[in-house]
Amino acid sequence: MLVAPSILSADFGNLARDVEAICEAGCDLVHVDVMDGHFVPNLTIGPVVVSAVAKVAAKPLDIHLMVENNTFFVELFAPLKPGYISFHIEEEKHPHRLVQKIRSLGIKPAITLNPHTPPESIEFLLADIDMVLLMSVNPGFGGQKFIPSVLERAKRLKALIKKHNPDCLIEVDGGVSDQNIQELKAAGVDVVVAGSYVFGNKEGYKHAIDSLKV
Ligand code: DX5
Ligand code: ZN
């Protein structure tokens, strides 16, 4: 299992310190939640802050866009050379075009599905993307309760991925902890995002990250 701590739960007064610490603790990706106050009822960070994160991150950035104007934000973040950019399928009229644009910028394209969105809705995009992000909470906030139906969605998605693009990864985001990591693994999940579990862990970041590497 690859682990992508969400910096939404980091100490924003000490962001560089926290990003360096999770990378030293062995995370695989640094998950960055970009919210615009329109697609979701919360507002987070833009390219000025994320470029400071990129400077100190020893691991690739995994940018999760939760915005209305995806193309605008892709262009804004592309110069920071993130590993992945994901956008929500519910908010994109031309997903195939945007996938091609992200790839042309040298970034791995990923698509995010809200908890109600069936995996079959992106069946014919799977051949062109590197990762699918399944939300296991409603997007907008850290620290929410895990929605267990994501396990069934992950299994259905895995079957489609085997058919169309076996290299495509499944990432799950929201309410992930040591309490559900085994079920996620069994459902075929490859990458987990964890915010409050990693940054709020009393035994430290390394303990938290290691406990998710099943
Ligand atoms: C929610 C974000 C998540 C969030 C996860 O919209 O996409 O990345 O930070 O936080 P936890 O792990 O606390 O649920
Ligand atoms: Zn996220």
Coordinates of all heavy atoms in Angstrom, one line a residue, residues 80-176:
L80 N 4.4 23.7 -11.2 CA 5.0 23.1 -10.0 C 5.4 21.6 -10.1 O 6.0 21.0 -9.3 CB 4.1 23.2 -8.8 CG 3.5 24.6 -8.5 CD1 2.6 24.6 -7.3 CD2 4.7 25.6 -8.2
K81 N 5.1 21.1 -11.3 CA 5.5 19.7 -11.7 C 5.1 18.7 -10.7 O 5.9 17.9 -10.2 CB 7.1 19.6 -11.9 CG 7.6 20.5 -13.1 CD 7.2 19.8 -14.4 CE 7.4 20.8 -15.6 NZ 6.5 20.5 -16.7
P82 N 3.8 18.6 -10.3 CA 3.3 17.6 -9.4 C 3.4 16.2 -10.1 O 3.5 16.1 -11.3 CB 1.9 18.0 -9.2 CG 1.5 18.8 -10.4 CD 2.7 19.5 -10.8
G83 N 3.4 15.2 -9.2 CA 3.4 13.8 -9.8 C 2.1 13.5 -10.4 O 2.0 13.1 -11.6
Y84 N 1.0 13.8 -9.7 CA -0.4 13.6 -10.2 C -1.2 14.9 -10.0 O -1.0 15.6 -9.1 CB -1.1 12.5 -9.3 CG -0.5 11.1 -9.4 CD1 0.5 10.7 -8.6 CD2 -1.0 10.2 -10.3 CE1 1.1 9.5 -8.7 CE2 -0.5 8.9 -10.4 CZ 0.6 8.6 -9.6 OH 1.1 7.3 -9.7
I85 N -2.2 15.0 -10.9 CA -3.3 16.0 -10.7 C -4.6 15.2 -10.9 O -4.7 14.5 -12.0 CB -3.3 17.2 -11.7 CG1 -2.1 18.1 -11.3 CG2 -4.6 18.0 -11.5 CD1 -2.0 19.4 -12.2
S86 N -5.5 15.3 -10.0 CA -6.8 14.6 -10.1 C -7.9 15.7 -10.1 O -7.8 16.7 -9.4 CB -7.1 13.6 -9.0 OG -7.3 14.2 -7.8
F87 N -8.9 15.4 -11.0 CA -10.1 16.3 -11.0 C -11.3 15.5 -10.8 O -11.4 14.3 -11.1 CB -10.1 17.1 -12.3 CG -10.3 16.3 -13.5 CD1 -11.5 15.9 -14.0 CD2 -9.1 15.9 -14.2 CE1 -11.6 15.2 -15.2 CE2 -9.3 15.1 -15.4 CZ -10.5 14.7 -15.8
H88 N -12.4 16.2 -10.3 CA -13.7 15.5 -10.1 C -14.4 15.3 -11.4 O -14.7 16.3 -12.1 CB -14.5 16.2 -9.1 CG -14.2 15.9 -7.7 ND1 -14.9 15.0 -6.9 CD2 -13.1 16.2 -6.9 CE1 -14.4 14.8 -5.7 NE2 -13.3 15.6 -5.7
I89 N -14.9 14.1 -11.7 CA -15.6 13.8 -12.9 C -17.0 14.5 -12.9 O -17.5 14.9 -13.9 CB -15.8 12.3 -13.1 CG1 -16.3 11.9 -14.5 CG2 -16.8 11.7 -12.0 CD1 -15.3 12.1 -15.5
E90 N -17.5 14.8 -11.7 CA -18.8 15.4 -11.5 C -18.8 16.9 -12.0 O -19.8 17.5 -12.2 CB -19.3 15.4 -10.1 CG -19.5 14.0 -9.5 CD -18.1 13.5 -8.9 OE1 -17.1 14.2 -8.9 OE2 -18.1 12.3 -8.5
E91 N -17.6 17.4 -12.1 CA -17.5 18.8 -12.4 C -16.8 19.1 -13.8 O -16.2 20.2 -14.0 CB -16.7 19.5 -11.3 CG -16.7 21.0 -11.2 CD -18.1 21.6 -11.2 OE1 -19.0 21.1 -10.4 OE2 -18.4 22.5 -12.0
E92 N -16.7 18.1 -14.7 CA -16.0 18.2 -15.9 C -16.8 17.8 -17.1 O -17.2 16.6 -17.2 CB -14.7 17.5 -15.8 CG -13.8 17.7 -17.0 CD -13.5 19.2 -17.3 OE1 -13.2 19.9 -16.4 OE2 -13.8 19.5 -18.5
K93 N -17.1 18.7 -18.0 CA -17.8 18.4 -19.2 C -17.0 17.6 -20.2 O -17.5 16.8 -21.0 CB -18.3 19.7 -19.9 CG -19.4 20.4 -19.2 CD -20.1 21.4 -20.2 CE -21.1 22.2 -19.5 NZ -20.6 23.5 -18.9
H94 N -15.7 17.8 -20.3 CA -14.8 17.2 -21.3 C -13.6 16.5 -20.6 O -12.5 16.9 -20.7 CB -14.3 18.3 -22.2 CG -15.4 19.1 -22.9 ND1 -16.2 18.5 -23.9 CD2 -15.9 20.3 -22.7 CE1 -17.1 19.3 -24.3 NE2 -17.0 20.5 -23.6
P95 N -13.9 15.5 -19.8 CA -12.9 14.8 -19.1 C -11.8 14.2 -19.9 O -10.6 14.3 -19.6 CB -13.6 13.7 -18.3 CG -14.9 13.5 -18.9 CD -15.3 14.9 -19.6
H96 N -12.1 13.7 -21.1 CA -11.0 13.1 -21.9 C -10.1 14.1 -22.4 O -8.8 13.9 -22.4 CB -11.7 12.3 -23.1 CG -10.7 11.5 -23.8 ND1 -10.0 12.0 -24.9 CD2 -10.3 10.2 -23.6 CE1 -9.2 11.0 -25.3 NE2 -9.3 10.0 -24.6
R97 N -10.6 15.3 -22.8 CA -9.8 16.4 -23.3 C -8.8 16.8 -22.1 O -7.6 17.1 -22.3 CB -10.6 17.5 -23.7 CG -9.8 18.8 -24.2 CD -10.7 19.9 -24.6 NE -11.5 19.6 -25.8 CZ -12.6 20.1 -26.1 NH1 -13.2 21.1 -25.3 NH2 -13.2 19.8 -27.2
L98 N -9.4 17.0 -20.9 CA -8.6 17.4 -19.8 C -7.5 16.4 -19.4 O -6.4 16.8 -19.1 CB -9.5 17.8 -18.6 CG -8.8 18.4 -17.4 CD1 -8.0 19.7 -17.8 CD2 -9.8 18.7 -16.3
V99 N -7.8 15.1 -19.5 CA -6.8 14.1 -19.2 C -5.6 14.2 -20.2 O -4.5 14.2 -19.8 CB -7.5 12.7 -19.4 CG1 -6.4 11.6 -19.6 CG2 -8.4 12.4 -18.2
Q100 N -6.0 14.4 -21.5 CA -4.9 14.6 -22.5 C -4.1 15.9 -22.2 O -2.8 15.9 -22.3 CB -5.5 14.7 -23.9 CG -6.0 13.4 -24.4 CD -6.7 13.6 -25.7 OE1 -7.6 14.4 -25.9 NE2 -6.3 12.8 -26.7
K101 N -4.7 16.9 -21.7 CA -4.0 18.2 -21.4 C -3.0 17.9 -20.3 O -1.9 18.4 -20.3 CB -5.0 19.3 -21.1 CG -4.3 20.6 -20.8 CD -5.3 21.7 -20.5 CE -4.6 23.0 -20.2 NZ -4.2 23.7 -21.4
I102 N -3.5 17.3 -19.2 CA -2.7 17.0 -18.0 C -1.4 16.2 -18.5 O -0.3 16.5 -18.1 CB -3.5 16.3 -16.9 CG1 -4.6 17.2 -16.4 CG2 -2.5 15.9 -15.8 CD1 -5.6 16.6 -15.4
R103 N -1.7 15.2 -19.3 CA -0.5 14.3 -19.7 C 0.4 15.1 -20.6 O 1.6 15.0 -20.5 CB -1.0 13.1 -20.4 CG 0.1 12.1 -20.6 CD -0.3 10.7 -21.1 NE -1.2 10.0 -20.3 CZ -1.0 9.3 -19.2 NH1 0.2 9.4 -18.6 NH2 -1.9 8.6 -18.6
S104 N -0.1 16.0 -21.4 CA 0.8 16.8 -22.3 C 1.7 17.7 -21.5 O 2.7 18.2 -22.0 CB -0.1 17.6 -23.3 OG -0.7 18.7 -22.7
L105 N 1.3 18.0 -20.3 CA 2.1 18.9 -19.4 C 3.1 18.1 -18.6 O 3.8 18.6 -17.7 CB 1.1 19.7 -18.4 CG 0.2 20.7 -19.1 CD1 -0.9 21.1 -18.2 CD2 1.0 21.9 -19.6
G106 N 3.2 16.8 -18.8 CA 4.2 16.0 -18.2 C 3.7 15.5 -16.8 O 4.6 15.1 -15.9
I107 N 2.4 15.5 -16.5 CA 1.9 15.1 -15.2 C 1.0 13.9 -15.4 O 0.3 13.8 -16.4 CB 1.0 16.3 -14.6 CG1 2.0 17.6 -14.5 CG2 0.4 16.0 -13.3 CD1 1.2 18.9 -14.5
K108 N 0.9 13.0 -14.4 CA 0.1 11.8 -14.5 C -1.4 12.2 -14.2 O -1.7 12.8 -13.1 CB 0.5 10.8 -13.5 CG 1.9 10.2 -13.8 CD 2.3 9.2 -12.8 CE 3.6 8.5 -13.2 NZ 4.2 7.8 -12.1
P109 N -2.3 12.0 -15.1 CA -3.7 12.3 -14.9 C -4.4 11.3 -14.0 O -4.3 10.1 -14.2 CB -4.3 12.4 -16.3 CG -3.4 11.6 -17.2 CD -2.1 11.4 -16.5
A110 N -5.3 11.9 -13.1 CA -6.1 11.0 -12.3 C -7.5 11.6 -12.2 O -7.7 12.8 -12.4 CB -5.5 10.9 -10.9
I111 N -8.5 10.7 -12.0 CA -9.9 11.2 -11.9 C -10.5 10.8 -10.6 O -10.3 9.7 -10.1 CB -10.7 10.6 -13.1 CG1 -10.2 11.2 -14.4 CG2 -12.2 10.9 -12.9 CD1 -11.0 10.7 -15.6
T112 N -11.2 11.8 -10.0 CA -11.8 11.6 -8.7 C -13.3 11.4 -8.8 O -14.0 12.0 -9.6 CB -11.5 12.8 -7.7 OG1 -10.1 13.0 -7.7 CG2 -12.0 12.5 -6.3
L113 N -13.8 10.4 -8.0 CA -15.3 10.1 -8.0 C -15.8 10.4 -6.5 O -15.3 9.9 -5.6 CB -15.6 8.7 -8.3 CG -15.0 8.1 -9.6 CD1 -15.5 6.7 -9.8 CD2 -15.3 8.9 -10.8
N114 N -16.9 11.2 -6.5 CA -17.6 11.4 -5.2 C -18.2 10.1 -4.7 O -18.4 9.1 -5.5 CB -18.7 12.4 -5.4 CG -18.1 13.8 -5.1 OD1 -17.2 14.0 -4.3 ND2 -18.7 14.8 -5.7
P115 N -18.6 10.0 -3.4 CA -19.2 8.8 -2.9 C -20.4 8.2 -3.6 O -20.6 7.0 -3.6 CB -19.5 9.1 -1.5 CG -18.7 10.3 -1.1 CD -18.5 11.0 -2.4
H116 N -21.1 9.0 -4.4 CA -22.3 8.5 -5.0 C -22.0 8.1 -6.5 O -22.9 7.6 -7.2 CB -23.4 9.6 -5.0 CG -23.1 10.7 -5.9 ND1 -22.2 11.8 -5.5 CD2 -23.4 11.0 -7.2 CE1 -22.1 12.6 -6.5 NE2 -22.8 12.2 -7.6
T117 N -20.8 8.4 -7.0 CA -20.6 8.2 -8.5 C -20.1 6.8 -8.8 O -19.1 6.4 -8.2 CB -19.5 9.3 -8.9 OG1 -20.0 10.6 -8.5 CG2 -19.3 9.2 -10.4
P118 N -20.8 6.1 -9.6 CA -20.5 4.7 -9.9 C -19.1 4.6 -10.7 O -18.9 5.5 -11.6 CB -21.6 4.2 -10.7 CG -22.5 5.3 -11.1 CD -22.1 6.5 -10.3
P119 N -18.3 3.7 -10.4 CA -17.0 3.5 -11.2 C -17.3 3.3 -12.6 O -16.4 3.7 -13.5 CB -16.4 2.3 -10.5 CG -17.3 1.8 -9.5 CD -18.4 2.7 -9.3
E120 N -18.4 2.7 -13.0 CA -18.7 2.4 -14.4 C -18.8 3.7 -15.2 O -18.6 3.7 -16.4 CB -20.0 1.7 -14.6 CG -20.0 0.2 -14.1 CD -20.0 0.1 -12.6 OE1 -20.3 1.1 -11.9 OE2 -19.7 -1.0 -12.1
S121 N -19.0 4.8 -14.6 CA -19.1 6.1 -15.3 C -17.8 6.5 -15.9 O -17.8 7.4 -16.8 CB -19.6 7.2 -14.3 OG -18.7 7.5 -13.3
I122 N -16.7 6.0 -15.5 CA -15.4 6.4 -16.1 C -14.8 5.2 -16.8 O -13.6 5.2 -17.1 CB -14.5 7.0 -15.1 CG1 -14.2 6.1 -13.9 CG2 -15.0 8.3 -14.6 CD1 -12.9 6.4 -13.2
E123 N -15.6 4.2 -17.1 CA -15.0 3.0 -17.7 C -14.1 3.3 -19.0 O -13.0 2.8 -19.1 CB -16.1 2.0 -18.1 CG -15.5 0.7 -18.8 CD -16.5 -0.4 -19.0 OE1 -17.7 -0.3 -18.6 OE2 -16.1 -1.4 -19.5
F124 N -14.6 4.2 -19.8 CA -13.9 4.4 -21.1 C -12.9 5.6 -21.0 O -12.4 6.0 -22.0 CB -14.9 4.7 -22.2 CG -15.8 3.4 -22.4 CD1 -17.1 3.3 -22.0 CD2 -15.2 2.3 -22.9 CE1 -17.8 2.1 -22.1 CE2 -15.9 1.1 -23.0 CZ -17.2 1.0 -22.6
L125 N -12.6 6.0 -19.7 CA -11.5 6.9 -19.5 C -10.3 6.1 -18.9 O -9.2 6.6 -18.8 CB -11.9 8.0 -18.6 CG -12.9 9.0 -19.1 CD1 -13.6 9.8 -18.0 CD2 -12.2 10.0 -20.1
L126 N -10.6 4.9 -18.4 CA -9.5 4.2 -17.6 C -8.2 3.9 -18.4 O -7.1 4.0 -17.9 CB -10.1 2.8 -17.1 CG -11.1 2.9 -16.0 CD1 -11.7 1.6 -15.7 CD2 -10.5 3.6 -14.8
A127 N -8.4 3.7 -19.7 CA -7.2 3.4 -20.6 C -6.2 4.6 -20.6 O -5.1 4.4 -20.9 CB -7.6 3.0 -22.0
D128 N -6.7 5.8 -20.3 CA -5.9 7.0 -20.5 C -5.5 7.6 -19.2 O -4.8 8.7 -19.3 CB -6.8 8.0 -21.3 CG -7.1 7.5 -22.7 OD1 -6.2 7.3 -23.5 OD2 -8.3 7.3 -22.9
I129 N -5.8 7.0 -18.1 CA -5.4 7.7 -16.8 C -4.5 6.8 -16.0 O -4.4 5.6 -16.2 CB -6.6 8.1 -16.0 CG1 -7.5 6.9 -15.6 CG2 -7.4 9.2 -16.8 CD1 -8.7 7.3 -14.7
D130 N -3.8 7.4 -15.0 CA -2.8 6.6 -14.2 C -3.4 6.3 -12.8 O -2.8 5.4 -12.1 CB -1.5 7.4 -14.0 CG -0.8 7.5 -15.3 OD1 -0.4 6.4 -15.8 OD2 -0.6 8.5 -15.9
M131 N -4.5 6.9 -12.4 CA -5.0 6.7 -11.1 C -6.5 7.1 -11.0 O -6.9 8.1 -11.7 CB -4.2 7.4 -10.0 CG -4.5 7.1 -8.6 SD -3.2 7.6 -7.5 CE -3.3 9.4 -7.4
V132 N -7.3 6.4 -10.2 CA -8.6 6.8 -9.9 C -8.7 7.1 -8.4 O -8.2 6.2 -7.6 CB -9.7 5.7 -10.3 CG1 -11.1 6.2 -9.9 CG2 -9.6 5.4 -11.7
L133 N -9.2 8.2 -8.0 CA -9.3 8.5 -6.6 C -10.8 8.3 -6.2 O -11.7 9.1 -6.7 CB -8.9 10.0 -6.4 CG -8.5 10.4 -4.9 CD1 -8.2 11.9 -4.9 CD2 -9.6 10.2 -3.9
L134 N -11.1 7.4 -5.3 CA -12.4 7.2 -4.8 C -12.6 7.9 -3.5 O -11.9 7.6 -2.5 CB -12.7 5.7 -4.6 CG -12.7 4.8 -5.8 CD1 -12.9 3.3 -5.4 CD2 -13.8 5.2 -6.8
M135 N -13.5 8.8 -3.4 CA -13.8 9.5 -2.2 C -14.5 8.6 -1.2 O -15.5 7.9 -1.6 CB -14.6 10.8 -2.4 CG -13.9 11.9 -3.1 SD -12.4 12.4 -2.5 CE -12.8 13.0 -0.8
S136 N -14.0 8.5 0.0 CA -14.7 7.7 1.1 C -15.3 8.6 2.1 O -15.7 8.2 3.2 CB -13.8 6.7 1.6 OG -12.5 7.2 1.9
V137 N -15.4 9.9 1.8 CA -16.1 10.9 2.6 C -16.6 11.9 1.5 O -16.2 11.9 0.4 CB -15.3 11.7 3.6 CG1 -14.8 10.8 4.7 CG2 -14.1 12.5 3.0
N138 N -17.6 12.8 1.9 CA -17.9 13.9 1.0 C -16.8 14.9 1.0 O -16.4 15.3 2.1 CB -19.3 14.5 1.5 CG -20.4 13.6 1.2 OD1 -20.7 13.3 0.0 ND2 -21.0 13.1 2.2
P139 N -16.3 15.4 -0.2 CA -15.2 16.2 -0.2 C -15.4 17.6 0.5 O -16.5 18.1 0.5 CB -14.9 16.4 -1.7 CG -16.2 16.1 -2.4 CD -16.9 15.1 -1.5
G140 N -14.4 18.1 1.1 CA -14.5 19.5 1.7 C -13.8 19.6 3.0 O -13.3 20.7 3.3
F141 N -13.7 18.5 3.8 CA -13.1 18.6 5.1 C -12.4 17.4 5.5 O -12.7 16.3 5.1 CB -14.2 18.9 6.1 CG -15.1 20.1 5.8 CD1 -16.2 20.0 5.1 CD2 -14.6 21.4 6.2 CE1 -17.0 21.1 4.7 CE2 -15.4 22.5 5.8 CZ -16.5 22.4 5.1
G142 N -11.3 17.6 6.3 CA -10.7 16.4 7.0 C -11.4 16.0 8.2 O -12.4 16.6 8.6
G143 N -11.1 14.8 8.7 CA -11.6 14.3 9.9 C -13.0 13.8 9.9 O -13.7 13.7 10.9
Q144 N -13.5 13.4 8.7 CA -14.9 12.9 8.6 C -14.9 11.4 8.7 O -13.9 10.7 8.6 CB -15.5 13.3 7.3 CG -15.6 14.8 7.1 CD -16.3 15.1 5.7 OE1 -17.5 15.1 5.7 NE2 -15.5 15.3 4.7
K145 N -16.1 10.8 8.9 CA -16.3 9.4 9.1 C -16.2 8.7 7.7 O -16.8 9.1 6.7 CB -17.6 9.1 9.7 CG -17.8 7.8 10.4 CD -19.1 7.8 11.2 CE -19.4 6.4 11.7 NZ -20.0 5.6 10.7
F146 N -15.5 7.6 7.7 CA -15.3 6.7 6.5 C -16.7 6.1 6.0 O -17.5 5.6 6.9 CB -14.4 5.5 6.9 CG -14.1 4.6 5.9 CD1 -13.1 4.8 4.9 CD2 -14.7 3.3 5.9 CE1 -12.8 3.9 3.9 CE2 -14.3 2.3 4.9 CZ -13.4 2.6 4.0
I147 N -17.0 6.2 4.7 CA -18.2 5.7 4.2 C -17.9 4.3 3.6 O -17.2 4.2 2.6 CB -18.8 6.6 3.1 CG1 -19.1 8.0 3.6 CG2 -20.0 6.0 2.4 CD1 -19.5 9.0 2.6
P148 N -18.4 3.2 4.2 CA -17.9 1.9 3.9 C -18.3 1.4 2.5 O -17.6 0.5 2.0 CB -18.5 1.0 4.9 CG -19.5 1.8 5.8 CD -19.3 3.2 5.4
S149 N -19.3 2.0 1.8 CA -19.6 1.6 0.5 C -18.5 1.8 -0.5 O -18.5 1.2 -1.6 CB -20.9 2.3 0.0 OG -20.7 3.7 0.0
V150 N -17.5 2.5 -0.2 CA -16.3 2.7 -1.0 C -15.6 1.3 -1.3 O -15.0 1.1 -2.4 CB -15.3 3.7 -0.5 CG1 -14.5 3.1 0.7 CG2 -14.3 4.1 -1.5
L151 N -15.8 0.4 -0.4 CA -15.1 -1.0 -0.5 C -15.7 -1.7 -1.7 O -15.0 -2.3 -2.6 CB -15.3 -1.8 0.7 CG -14.6 -1.2 2.0 CD1 -15.0 -1.9 3.2 CD2 -13.1 -1.2 1.8
E152 N -17.1 -1.6 -1.8 CA -17.8 -2.3 -3.0 C -17.4 -1.5 -4.3 O -17.2 -2.2 -5.3 CB -19.3 -2.2 -2.7 CG -20.2 -2.5 -3.9 CD -20.1 -4.0 -4.3 OE1 -19.7 -4.8 -3.5 OE2 -20.6 -4.2 -5.5
R153 N -17.3 -0.2 -4.2 CA -17.0 0.5 -5.4 C -15.6 0.2 -5.9 O -15.3 0.1 -7.1 CB -17.1 2.0 -5.2 CG -18.6 2.4 -5.0 CD -18.8 3.9 -5.2 NE -18.0 4.7 -4.2 CZ -17.3 5.8 -4.5 NH1 -17.4 6.3 -5.7 NH2 -16.6 6.4 -3.6
A154 N -14.6 0.0 -4.9 CA -13.3 -0.3 -5.2 C -13.2 -1.7 -5.9 O -12.5 -1.8 -6.9 CB -12.4 -0.3 -4.0
K155 N -14.0 -2.6 -5.4 CA -13.9 -4.0 -6.1 C -14.4 -3.9 -7.5 O -13.9 -4.5 -8.4 CB -14.8 -4.9 -5.2 CG -14.1 -5.3 -3.9 CD -15.0 -6.3 -3.1 CE -14.6 -6.3 -1.7 NZ -15.6 -6.8 -0.8
R156 N -15.5 -3.2 -7.7 CA -16.1 -3.0 -9.1 C -15.1 -2.3 -10.0 O -14.9 -2.7 -11.1 CB -17.4 -2.3 -9.0 CG -18.6 -3.2 -8.7 CD -19.8 -2.5 -8.2 NE -20.3 -1.4 -9.1 CZ -21.3 -0.7 -8.8 NH1 -22.1 -0.9 -7.8 NH2 -21.7 0.3 -9.6
L157 N -14.4 -1.3 -9.4 CA -13.5 -0.5 -10.2 C -12.3 -1.4 -10.6 O -11.8 -1.4 -11.7 CB -13.0 0.7 -9.4 CG -11.9 1.5 -10.0 CD1 -12.3 2.1 -11.4 CD2 -11.5 2.7 -9.1
K158 N -11.8 -2.2 -9.6 CA -10.7 -3.1 -9.9 C -10.9 -4.0 -11.1 O -10.1 -4.2 -11.9 CB -10.4 -3.9 -8.6 CG -9.0 -4.6 -8.6 CD -8.0 -3.5 -8.4 CE -6.6 -4.1 -8.2 NZ -5.6 -3.1 -7.9
A159 N -12.2 -4.6 -11.1 CA -12.5 -5.4 -12.3 C -12.4 -4.7 -13.6 O -11.9 -5.2 -14.6 CB -13.9 -6.0 -12.1
L160 N -12.9 -3.4 -13.6 CA -12.8 -2.6 -14.8 C -11.4 -2.3 -15.2 O -11.0 -2.3 -16.4 CB -13.6 -1.3 -14.7 CG -15.1 -1.5 -14.5 CD1 -15.8 -0.1 -14.1 CD2 -15.8 -2.1 -15.7
I161 N -10.6 -2.0 -14.2 CA -9.2 -1.7 -14.4 C -8.4 -2.9 -15.0 O -7.6 -2.7 -15.9 CB -8.5 -1.2 -13.1 CG1 -8.9 0.3 -12.8 CG2 -7.0 -1.4 -13.1 CD1 -8.5 0.8 -11.5
K162 N -8.7 -4.1 -14.5 CA -8.0 -5.3 -15.0 C -8.3 -5.4 -16.5 O -7.5 -5.8 -17.3 CB -8.5 -6.5 -14.3 CG -7.8 -6.7 -13.0 CD -8.1 -8.1 -12.3 CE -7.5 -8.2 -11.0 NZ -8.3 -9.0 -10.0
K163 N -9.5 -5.1 -16.9 CA -10.0 -5.2 -18.3 C -9.3 -4.1 -19.2 O -8.9 -4.4 -20.3 CB -11.5 -5.1 -18.3 CG -12.2 -5.4 -19.6 CD -13.7 -5.4 -19.4 CE -14.4 -5.2 -20.7 NZ -15.8 -4.9 -20.4
H164 N -9.2 -2.9 -18.7 CA -8.9 -1.8 -19.6 C -7.5 -1.2 -19.4 O -6.9 -0.7 -20.3 CB -9.9 -0.6 -19.4 CG -11.3 -0.9 -19.8 ND1 -11.6 -1.0 -21.1 CD2 -12.4 -1.2 -19.1 CE1 -12.9 -1.3 -21.2 NE2 -13.4 -1.4 -19.9
N165 N -6.9 -1.3 -18.2 CA -5.6 -0.7 -17.9 C -5.1 -1.2 -16.5 O -5.2 -0.5 -15.5 CB -5.8 0.8 -17.9 CG -4.5 1.5 -17.6 OD1 -3.4 0.9 -17.6 ND2 -4.5 2.9 -17.5
P166 N -4.5 -2.4 -16.5 CA -4.0 -3.0 -15.2 C -3.0 -2.1 -14.4 O -2.9 -2.3 -13.3 CB -3.4 -4.3 -15.7 CG -4.0 -4.6 -17.0 CD -4.2 -3.3 -17.7
D167 N -2.4 -1.2 -15.1 CA -1.4 -0.3 -14.4 C -2.0 0.8 -13.6 O -1.4 1.5 -12.9 CB -0.4 0.3 -15.4 CG 0.5 -0.8 -16.0 OD1 0.7 -1.9 -15.3 OD2 0.9 -0.6 -17.2
C168 N -3.3 1.1 -13.9 CA -4.0 2.2 -13.2 C -4.2 1.9 -11.7 O -4.6 0.8 -11.4 CB -5.3 2.4 -13.9 SG -6.3 3.8 -13.3
L169 N -3.8 2.9 -10.9 CA -3.9 2.7 -9.4 C -5.3 3.2 -8.9 O -5.9 4.0 -9.5 CB -2.8 3.6 -8.7 CG -1.4 3.3 -9.1 CD1 -0.4 4.2 -8.4 CD2 -1.0 1.8 -8.8
I170 N -5.7 2.5 -7.8 CA -6.9 3.0 -7.1 C -6.4 3.6 -5.8 O -5.7 3.0 -5.0 CB -7.8 1.8 -6.7 CG1 -8.3 1.1 -8.0 CG2 -9.0 2.3 -5.9 CD1 -9.2 -0.1 -7.7
E171 N -6.9 4.9 -5.6 CA -6.6 5.6 -4.4 C -7.9 5.9 -3.6 O -8.9 6.2 -4.3 CB -5.9 7.0 -4.8 CG -5.5 7.9 -3.6 CD -4.8 9.1 -4.1 OE1 -5.3 9.8 -5.1 OE2 -3.8 9.5 -3.5
V172 N -7.9 5.8 -2.3 CA -9.0 6.1 -1.5 C -8.7 7.2 -0.6 O -7.6 7.3 0.0 CB -9.5 4.8 -0.8 CG1 -10.5 5.2 0.3 CG2 -10.2 3.9 -1.8
D173 N -9.7 8.2 -0.4 CA -9.4 9.4 0.4 C -10.6 9.7 1.3 O -11.7 9.9 0.8 CB -9.2 10.5 -0.7 CG -8.9 11.9 0.0 OD1 -8.8 12.0 1.2 OD2 -8.8 12.9 -0.8
G174 N -10.3 9.7 2.6 CA -11.3 10.1 3.6 C -11.6 9.1 4.7 O -12.0 8.0 4.4
G175 N -11.2 9.5 5.9 CA -11.5 8.6 7.0 C -10.7 7.3 7.1 O -11.1 6.3 7.7
V176 N -9.5 7.4 6.4 CA -8.7 6.2 6.4 C -7.9 6.1 7.7 O -7.3 7.1 8.1 CB -7.7 6.2 5.2 CG1 -6.7 5.1 5.3 CG2 -8.5 6.1 3.9

